[in-house]
Amino acid sequence: MNIPRTVDESLSAIKKWEPHIHAFVEVFEDVSVRQDGQLKGLPIAIKENIATTIGYTNASSKILKEYVSPFNATVVQKLLDAGAVVVGKTQQDEFGMGSSTENNGLPPQTKNPWDITRVAGGSSGGSAAAVASGEVFAALGTDTGGSVRQPSAMCGVVGVKPTYGRVSRHGLLAYGSSLDQPGVITRTVRDSALMLEIIAGKDPLDATSTREKVGAYSTSCGQPIAGIKIGIPKEFFAEGIDPEIKKIVQEAIYSLEEQGAIVQEISLPLTPAAIAAYYLIAKAEASSNLARFDGLRYEGSKTNTETLIDYTKKIRGEGFGPEVKRAILMGTYALSSGYVEAWYGQASRVRTLIRKEYEKAFHDVDVIAGPVSPEAAFVFGSKSSDPLAMYLADAYTVPVSVAGLPAMSVPCGMTKNSLPVGLQIIAPHFQEERMFRVASAYEDAHDFKNRTPELPK
Amino acid sequence: MSDIKKIVSEAEVSKIADLARLRLSKDEIAGAASTISQIFGNFQTIRSIDTTGVAAADDVSGLKNVTREDVVQENMLTSPEVLLQKANSKNGHVQVPGVFSLPEIL
């Protein structure tokens, strides 16, 4: 297993891989080596939308191109305090809006290490690609509607989205504040458990982080799963899923029966409604969150306009990319007087129904399992001209986000085209231990963690 | 398509863009009207879900009245170097274009 454990190993892997995959926006070559703390100098990467005092924090947006954060995000500070070394900042879709990292507002274009003609997924595509290629031990991403789980599935690595409130959002450039959670990406389930233990917990700087006790995620790994009930939502295997993905994921879930798990079909009828509910809420919150970017403090533009309002409109019109502008327009529309009840209000009420639907499902099963994405990594450009198609592909990750539940992606097979497939494991609120237990049981019984992409010629 | 077009017209996009402080080109406005109409056309399915008597999910974390202890915080990031960054500044303040355009007489 070529997982780098020192800065030197990391930088030499970065030198080999970066010309092919461009996972990083910035690499910090002169970082000091460390051997202290729980992580003893392990090299990690941080997504561009998470504040670090080293390098830029621009969420891959032109409007924040040269912004340097005066503070570290709580998640970053916790990892530094534990002895991690940040070797670079990774590429993403601008402000996290996208599912392929093709909506990056600043270069370069991240590619999938398994096939460089394909996307790495998104929005944390750079973080997933950096871990998959063995450039870093672990990476931080952010997951609003699947942005950690989906690129992890497409790059064949482990990606964890914690319960909403489990991890501090302080220092994240906000997209949808009621949905955003920082998440970890690693090669193994145990490494993810370790990383989550370090970053989880109450933070006085994030009022939505909770005092709920941080679980013993590492010790949950490897515990037997005999008797654990796993629900398979039939709606996750309905129309729209690639038959090859369906087969691989179903076989993966049923293989857990060999370890004594009880697999049963369940129904989550609101699954198709979750896409509309999710996007209406996320874009509404985004339009509000992004209202703060006026280009006055971080850009120092020499643009000459007569009035302040003209200046703001010009800077925002030029500084945001197409998907971000679309989000602001959609969100402003969904919140505008006369429409707010029909769109945002309805989405919020449907959100309550979706949460209840999951609560009810968890009366009968301990975890829920299914695919992460209806398809494997796709070819560049095949969807970027059709935003709706891109949204619809988030069908299995957004319901979980709307419900605020923890979920993770674990590699569970390869397609005929040698592209990784991810298995999604979903747990009740703050029951991440259950999720790690099942994920590690799956990982231990299979060999996917040892499969790595080959360096492109 | 003509029905779908009606969900968000170009005039509405133009108005929303103005409210959201976004300067868009004519092509961007036309493109947005068509794409957003298509997306909202698809999203209309949720309007048929019966939500009578269902509360909005405004309290995602279930927390209420989160306050911090009333103690003075040290090391607050308040210096002009931190706050102004690359801004055009004067006397420690951000310098911006005028809020109103000035009449010739001034």
Side-chain angles (χ1 to χ4, degrees):
Chain A
M1 248 198 291
N2 62 337
I3 302 177
R5 304 196 75 87
T6 66
V7 170
D8 276 353
E9 284 172 12
S10 172
L11 291 175
S12 83
I14 287 172
K15 199 162 268 175
K16 275 195 296 186
W17 275 93
E18 269 313 280
H20 302 287
I21 62 169
H22 304 298
F24 286 90
V25 184
E26 295 172 274
V27 173
F28 311 124
E29 288 183 31
D30 50 356
V31 288
S32 17
V33 175
R34 299 177 59 177
Q35 296 193 330
D36 57 316
Q38 204 181 350
L39 296 179
K40 303 219 178 322
L42 287 173
I44 61 167
I46 309 289
K47 189 177 175 178
E48 265 297 339
N49 64 350
I50 303 176
T52 53
T53 54
I54 185 170
Y56 297 118
T57 299
N58 57 35
S60 197
S61 182
K62 271 191 284 190
I63 209 160
L64 283 173
K65 190 176 173 195
E66 291 180 21
Y67 172 62
V68 177
S69 171
F71 66 95
N72 284 317
T74 299
V75 279
V76 172
Q77 195 56 51
K78 282 186 163 189
L79 289 169
L80 293 175
D81 292 346
V85 178
V86 175
V87 296
K89 299 284 295 254
T90 53
Q91 187 57 288
Q92 60 166 103
D93 290 296
E94 184 178 358
F95 284 105
M97 296 176 193
S99 310
S100 66
T101 314
E102 288 168 289
N103 292 340
N104 55 309
L106 297 166
Q109 176 70 75
T110 300
K111 293 167 179 172
N112 193 310
W114 292 90
D115 178 348
I116 55 170
T117 67
R118 291 169 189 271
V119 302
S123 68
S124 311
S127 287
V131 173
S133 58
E135 290 178 319
V136 284
F137 168 78
L140 285 184
T142 56
D143 192 313
T144 307
S147 284
V148 163
R149 290 162 284 160
Q150 187 258 25
S152 296
M154 288 188 171
C155 290
V157 291
V158 178
V160 177
K161 178 204 110 64
T163 310
Y164 182 82
R166 174 73 295 166
V167 178
S168 168
R169 293 183 293 113
H170 176 68
L172 265 58
L173 301 191
Y175 169 7
S177 303
S178 77
L179 299 153
D180 295 342
Q181 266 294 283
V184 296
I185 301 173
T186 61
R187 280 275 289 287
T188 73
V189 173
R190 281 170 180 79
D191 290 343
S192 270
L194 170 70
M195 292 283 288
L196 182 59
E197 274 168 3
I198 293 168
I199 64 168
K202 171 73 186 166
D203 177 11
L205 298 172
D206 173 7
T208 58
S209 65
T210 74
R211 290 186 194 283
E212 198 84 29
K213 193 170 169 284
V214 176
Y217 309 128
S218 295
T219 46
S220 309
C221 295
Q223 284 183 14
I225 59 161
I228 280 194
K229 286 190 196 148
I230 302 173
I232 302 194
K234 64 175 189 221
E235 291 79 5
F236 279 40
F237 297 91
E239 59 175 317
I241 189 169
D242 178 336
E244 198 184 3
I245 304 282
K246 180 176 175 174
K247 187 165 176 282
I248 291 170
V249 173
Q250 278 179 338
E251 279 175 8
I253 298 169
Y254 281 103
S255 79
L256 292 166
E257 285 184 332
E258 287 162 29
Q259 299 185 53
I262 300 152
V263 180
Q264 63 185 78
E265 192 176 89
I266 61 168
S267 178
L268 298 166
L270 286 170
T271 302
I275 292 186
Y278 167 79
Y279 274 101
L280 288 165
I281 293 165
K283 300 307 184 194
E285 292 182 10
S287 72
S288 168
N289 276 324
L290 299 187
R292 75 187 59 153
F293 297 109
D294 54 13
L296 287 173
R297 278 165 298 170
Y298 311 127
E299 200 48 36
S301 167
K302 302 292 175 272
T303 299
N304 280 317
T305 55
E306 202 177 352
T307 62
L308 180 58
I309 196 160
D310 288 337
Y311 175 88
T312 308
K313 283 181 185 171
K314 186 169 192 291
I315 289 287
R316 287 165 62 82
E318 289 166 1
F320 292 132
E323 177 62 24
V324 175
K325 286 187 214 175
R326 188 151 47 233
I328 293 171
L329 293 171
M330 284 169 59
T332 307
Y333 177 74
L335 289 173
S336 58
S337 169
Y339 298 109
V340 63
E341 269 312 299
W343 294 110
Y344 177 78
Q346 177 68 355
S348 188
R349 289 185 290 272
V350 170
R351 182 179 199 176
T352 300
L353 294 177
I354 292 169
R355 280 164 75 178
K356 286 188 175 154
E357 189 169 278
Y358 275 88
E359 272 167 31
K360 194 162 157 262
F362 282 122
H363 287 153
D364 301 326
V365 296
D366 298 307
V367 296
I368 294 171
V372 176
S373 164
E375 60 195 329
F378 46 88
V379 173
F380 284 98
S382 59
K383 277 199 189 155
S384 43
S385 60
D386 187 351
L388 182 59
M390 197 80 100
Y391 295 173
L392 296 177
D394 294 338
Y396 314 133
T397 49
V398 296
V400 176
S401 303
V402 166
L405 299 164
M408 65 193 287
S409 175
V410 189
C412 74
M414 304 292 282
T415 65
K416 286 194 256 341
N417 289 334
S418 299
L419 298 169
V421 178
L423 165 67
Q424 184 173 212
I425 301 167
I426 306 159
H429 291 115
F430 300 106
Q431 300 299 315
E432 280 88 354
E433 283 147 304
R434 237 184 254 178
M435 182 173 89
F436 281 113
R437 191 165 163 185
V438 175
S440 63
Y442 182 81
E443 186 185 67
D444 290 348
H446 299 84
D447 195 33
F448 297 117
K449 69 168 181 277
N450 293 319
R451 296 188 70 161
T452 51
E454 275 175 40
L455 190 68
K457 300 243 160 38
Chain B
M1 195 65 200
S2 61
D3 273 341
I4 289 173
K5 259 288 189 220
K6 282 179 193 155
I7 295 181
V8 191
S9 67
E10 290 184 20
E12 276 178 304
V13 169
S14 196
K15 189 181 160 215
I16 296 162
D18 209 46
L19 290 171
R21 306 281 187 263
L22 280 179
R23 179 180 292 176
L24 301 180
S25 68
K26 274 210 169 76
D27 283 354
E28 281 181 308
I29 291 171
S34 133
T35 313
I36 295 173
S37 291
Q38 188 204 4
I39 292 167
F40 276 68
N42 180 282
F43 288 0
Q44 267 185 331
T45 49
I46 70 157
R47 295 173 74 170
S48 60
I49 296 171
D50 183 7
T51 54
T52 320
V54 176
D58 293 332
D59 60 329
V60 193
S61 59
L63 300 169
K64 279 200 178 104
N65 299 333
V66 179
T67 53
R68 69 168 175 85
E69 279 184 61
D70 190 18
V71 288
V72 176
Q73 307 279 300
E74 299 295 328
N75 305 318
M76 296 287 277
L77 297 171
T78 53
S79 71
E81 298 78 52
V82 161
L83 295 178
L84 296 176
Q85 295 247 340
K86 288 176 171 277
N88 296 321
S89 64
K90 195 174 179 182
N91 303 332
H93 298 285
V94 180
Q95 196 173 23
V96 303
V99 174
F100 306 105
S101 51
L102 299 175
E104 289 289 324
I105 197 163
L106 295 174

